[in-house]
Amino acid sequence: MSRRRKKFDAKSFALGVAVIALTGAALSEQLRKPQEERTWEGQILGVPYDFRAPTPERIRERMWNPNTSSIFTPHIFGVGWTINFYPLVHPKSRNEAERELSRV
């Protein structure tokens, strides 16, 4: 069997470099703080990050949260966003939540 070489994909390469750069910047930001002030979560250039060990509560909060209409939530672990499936499965609830938020 011969192996095919994959073509160079500039978009994938650029995305990979961006993720590595954001991860490095986020880790650097945390390591510059005194140890007692490190939270291992936050935002870098508007992109959320969380390097804490995942917990069942956080997984549920980020992937199945009926208390928010946001579809994109911070990653459970790492840099970027996760999909909150609750508003996708229950769109009526999402519309009700948006109406409640607009009243506030």
Side-chain angles (χ1 to χ4, degrees):
M1 281 200 203
S2 66
R3 288 185 155 196
R4 286 186 174 180
R5 282 190 121 195
K6 292 186 177 183
K7 291 184 180 181
F8 178 75
D9 184 6
K11 290 179 186 176
S12 295
F13 179 77
L15 181 62
V17 168
V19 168
I20 290 169
L22 286 171
T23 301
L27 289 171
S28 175
E29 177 182 276
Q30 288 296 315
L31 291 172
R32 285 186 194 144
K33 296 178 181 180
Q35 191 169 3
E36 59 276 357
E37 292 180 18
R38 295 178 188 160
T39 61
W40 299 106
E41 64 174 326
Q43 284 192 348
I44 193 83
L45 298 175
V47 179
Y49 66 87
D50 193 340
F51 296 117
R52 299 173 296 165
T55 63
E57 295 80 23
R58 195 170 325 116
I59 293 169
R60 198 173 314 111
E61 173 193 327
R62 305 266 171 98
M63 295 187 75
W64 192 261
N65 189 346
N67 299 323
T68 182
S69 62
S70 297
I71 294 174
F72 296 105
T73 60
H75 254 322
I76 297 163
F77 182 85
V79 177
W81 293 270
T82 290
I83 295 176
N84 177 14
F85 291 98
Y86 188 89
L88 297 174
V89 175
H90 301 283
K92 184 177 179 184
S93 299
R94 180 176 172 215
N95 292 335
E96 290 171 5
E98 287 174 355
R99 273 185 259 142
E100 287 179 20
L101 289 174
S102 65
R103 285 186 219 151
V104 176

